[in-house]
Structure formats: C-alpha cells, structure tokens
Amino acid sequence: MAGVAPGRRVDGGPVTVELTQEQQQAAVADEQAAQIPNDQLDSLVAPIALYPDPLLAQVLAASTYPLEIIQLQQWLTKNKDLKDKALADAVQKQPWDPSIQSMAALPDVVKRLADDIGWTTDLGNAVLAQQSDVMDAVQRMRAKAQEKGNLKSTEQMKVETKTVESKNVIVIEQSKSEVVYVPSYDPVVVYGAPPYPYPPIAYPPPGYYAAGMAVSFGVGMMVGAAMGGGWCCNSGWGGNNNININNNNNFVNNSNRQNISNSGNRTGNRTGSGNSWQHNAQHRGGTPYANKATANKFGGTARGDSMGNRQANARQNQGQRGGVQQAGTMDRGGGGDRVGNRSVSPSAGGGSRGGGGAIGGVSSG
C-alpha cells in the first residue's frame, strides 16, 4: 500500500507525492539514521534558547529558508531608510515566506542569521526533521540557565514556569507586548561548558555586559501594529511542541489570501492543522535538505544528491514561483556564495563559518 508525502503545486496549494512501501521503509531508515542526539541539539539551540517565545518561534521557522534570509539581509542593506509601516509595506511586496518578511523589523537578528548561515541552515534542518526534539532542547537549555541564576525576569523580558498540557515549561515573554529586546550572551557563561561544542559563531565580548550580568540586551525594536501586525509565530509548548502561526499577522494574511486566490481553498502551506506552522517547500529555493527522508517529505533534494538533480529541482522551484525575480541579485559568476543551487552576491556576509567547503548544505563559491 502506497503512502503519501507533501509536495508542491504551482498555485501554492497542497499536493501529495505517492511513495511505495519500499520508499517509505527507506525513508524511515534514513530518518532514524540521521537523528541528531540531544547533546548536539542542546548546543545547536544554545544561541537562541533564551529568546522570547515569539522571537524564538519566528527564528526557527525562518531558519528553514536560508536562501531567503540572505536575500532579506541584502535587501535590508539596500533599504536602510525604510522604517515602521513603510518598511512593512515594502517587504510585503517581496516574494518571501511570511516568517522571513516579518524578520525585517529585526535587522540585527537577520544579520546574525545571514552571517552565520551554516549554523542557521543546520538549525533549520533540525527543525524540519525533529521539531519537537528541538523545542525540548530549548527547554533543557533554559533550565540550565535558570539553575545557574542566569535566567530571570528583567525590565526587558518576563520569565515564568507554567504547566502546559501537563508539562512544566519555562516561558519567556516580552515585558512590553509591542517591543522586543533581543538578548545577547555567551553560552559558556550562561549555561556552562557543553558536552558537545557550541556553534563556532560570534558571541559578544566579556566587556559587552553590564557588571554582574550574564545576559545583555540591545535597543528595543517595535514589532506591533506598525510592523506587520505583530509576530508571525509563537512557541506552542503543548504535547506536540508546535510552532504556531498568528493569522492576524499581515504577512500571513496576505499569503493566505494568495493561496485562496490561486487554489480556491485556505489550506495552503501555512497553517496545516489549526494554527500549526508548516514548512513551505516553495520558499526553500533549491537549498538541499539534510537527508533523503526530509527531502522526500517536502519534495526536494538532499545533501549528497547529484548536481543534476539539484539543478533540476532549483529550476522546477523557480518555475513554480511564477518566474518572479528574486530580490537580491543572483550572481551566477564566480566570487559569490551559494545556497543550494542559487548564487547570491558576496555582500551577504561570510560570518565566522565562512571559507571553503560545504557547511550545512551551504557552500562558498
């Protein structure tokens, strides 16, 4: 008996891809072999585990679209004068996923994700393959920080322990609903030495923090009505550890309207069951998935696939986007960076994980 997996359709609506019993068994075996151990997941989420829940959820969703993160970073660099509603109106016209569009209000976060695109891609791949495990890792790291006295309520954020569907979880919220302060910290200081190395990305220097503080905060950024109607996502700490979608967010609403217009229904690729977030493979931009199981699930290619398969998938993906010119010029000559099979200009920023070779499905050109 054949099974089905999500696929893609030109109009943005859901499709299914038939899998034979042998393909299903191979996919299960591949997925089990590719499971990331808990200590590695803990280190992977360490740089963002103390983010307020809505920001955490938005970063996790956005990390599954590394090419669009780089495009957004380039676009923000070229549009530094846009602020508030003007920024929201302009970014809504770009052909990106709502989780990416909503990040425009947080340029420092976007820069970090783009500069350290290898870690970002690894994070997104973990979300796609083991979302519930990723959320559990966040809770483990929050508990470690709390035990060391480095996670507590401040003027910038509110920390509480709550029971959600019989689970005790540490919830982090903004002190002011429409203002977010992004925490900065060195994981070694906040959590202690790791059993598995923390991501080799840039952390604030020791002198960056106020006396006696392990966590610092930048300038508060507005994420309310003026910027897309608030957050696109939030962390659901129930039994399934879902990332939830805010259907009142303007970017999500616009995407839903486009899906209705194209396919005549509201299912699209955005909300799935109830308000649970679902990855939209059309915004993956040809970036390979971490393994065959995830690639089969979303109808893409995997790391290790032949260049011909990757190029064919990238061409198909671009055709399904209606031939829309991607923001951020694609440099198909030498000297640019590559995400999947898409070239991007060198201005995206190399980050501390730059250099030659492939990192998390991303290679330098």
Side-chain angles (χ1 to χ4, degrees):
M1 178 179 177
V4 296
R8 295 176 308 205
R9 201 171 74 189
V10 175
D11 61 14
V15 299
T16 56
V17 177
E18 293 289 339
L19 298 179
T20 66
Q21 188 173 18
E22 291 76 14
Q23 287 174 320
Q24 291 181 69
Q25 291 172 346
V28 170
D30 182 66
E31 188 171 16
Q32 291 174 342
Q35 289 286 300
I36 305 172
N38 283 350
D39 59 349
Q40 293 185 31
L41 285 175
D42 290 355
S43 292
L44 189 62
V45 304
I48 60 170
L50 304 191
Y51 281 10
D53 286 355
L55 176 58
L56 169 72
Q58 192 158 309
V59 167
L60 292 178
S63 69
T64 67
Y65 310 112
L67 175 65
E68 293 191 342
I69 287 175
I70 291 179
Q71 292 174 342
L72 173 60
Q73 166 66 0
Q74 293 176 341
W75 185 86
L76 287 172
T77 300
K78 296 175 182 177
N79 294 277
K80 292 180 178 179
D81 294 335
L82 292 175
K83 305 293 181 184
D84 302 325
K85 189 176 186 303
L87 175 62
D89 290 344
V91 77
Q92 186 167 292
K93 297 176 182 177
Q94 304 304 313
W96 302 324
D97 188 84
S99 64
I100 299 294
Q101 293 171 327
S102 298
M103 293 294 291
L106 301 163
D108 290 345
V109 179
V110 174
K111 185 178 187 303
R112 183 176 196 183
L113 296 176
D115 283 353
D116 296 302
I117 197 65
W119 161 66
T120 302
T121 304
D122 288 342
L123 178 65
N125 286 337
V127 171
L128 292 175
Q130 298 170 244
Q131 179 179 313
S132 184
D133 294 338
V134 168
M135 302 297 273
D136 285 341
V138 168
Q139 286 296 325
R140 286 193 296 271
M141 299 312 287
R142 288 182 176 183
K144 284 185 179 181
Q146 195 173 60
E147 288 168 5
K148 289 179 67 68
N150 293 325
L151 179 59
K152 59 188 72 174
S153 293
T154 66
E155 293 181 6
Q156 295 85 8
M157 66 184 189
K158 181 171 61 175
V159 180
E160 294 182 291
T161 299
K162 296 183 178 180
T163 300
V164 181
E165 295 183 14
S166 75
K167 291 171 56 179
N168 288 329
V169 295
I170 299 173
V171 175
I172 303 178
E173 299 174 339
Q174 299 147 234
S175 294
K176 299 177 181 178
S177 61
E178 293 197 346
V179 181
V180 62
Y181 295 88
V182 180
S184 298
Y185 53 89
D186 183 336
V188 174
V189 175
V190 170
Y191 308 115
Y196 187 87
Y198 294 124
I201 62 181
Y203 299 113
Y208 182 84
Y209 305 95
M213 299 295 291
V215 179
S216 181
F217 298 89
V219 177
M221 303 298 293
M222 296 295 295
V223 292
M227 187 56 220
W231 297 103
C232 90
C233 313
N234 205 346
S235 304
W237 297 113
N240 295 323
N241 281 336
N242 288 330
I243 297 172
N244 296 326
I245 286 293
N246 172 20
N247 286 305
N248 293 320
N249 175 274
N250 295 341
F251 305 122
V252 173
N253 268 328
N254 183 58
S255 178
N256 285 338
R257 284 195 299 270
Q258 290 177 352
N259 285 336
I260 294 171
S261 175
N262 291 333
S263 63
N265 62 70
R266 192 179 174 82
T267 54
N269 292 293
R270 196 71 58 240
T271 55
S273 175
N275 66 337
S276 297
W277 169 81
Q278 286 188 342
H279 173 70
N280 184 346
Q282 293 184 26
H283 291 278
R284 185 72 173 179
T287 306
Y289 292 97
N291 52 63
K292 283 286 188 182
T294 309
N296 288 339
K297 181 178 180 181
F298 296 107
T301 58
R303 292 178 186 172
D305 279 358
S306 68
M307 182 60 69
N309 286 344
R310 292 189 182 186
Q311 289 175 340
N313 182 71
R315 286 193 297 269
Q316 180 185 24
N317 184 277
Q318 187 169 5
Q320 289 171 333
R321 296 280 295 272
V324 176
Q325 176 64 38
Q326 300 277 343
T329 302
M330 302 301 173
D331 175 13
R332 298 196 180 276
D337 291 334
R338 298 181 68 84
V339 179
N341 292 295
R342 303 293 188 86
S343 299
V344 295
S345 69
S347 63
S352 58
R353 295 186 68 176
I359 302 177
V362 182
S363 59
S364 297

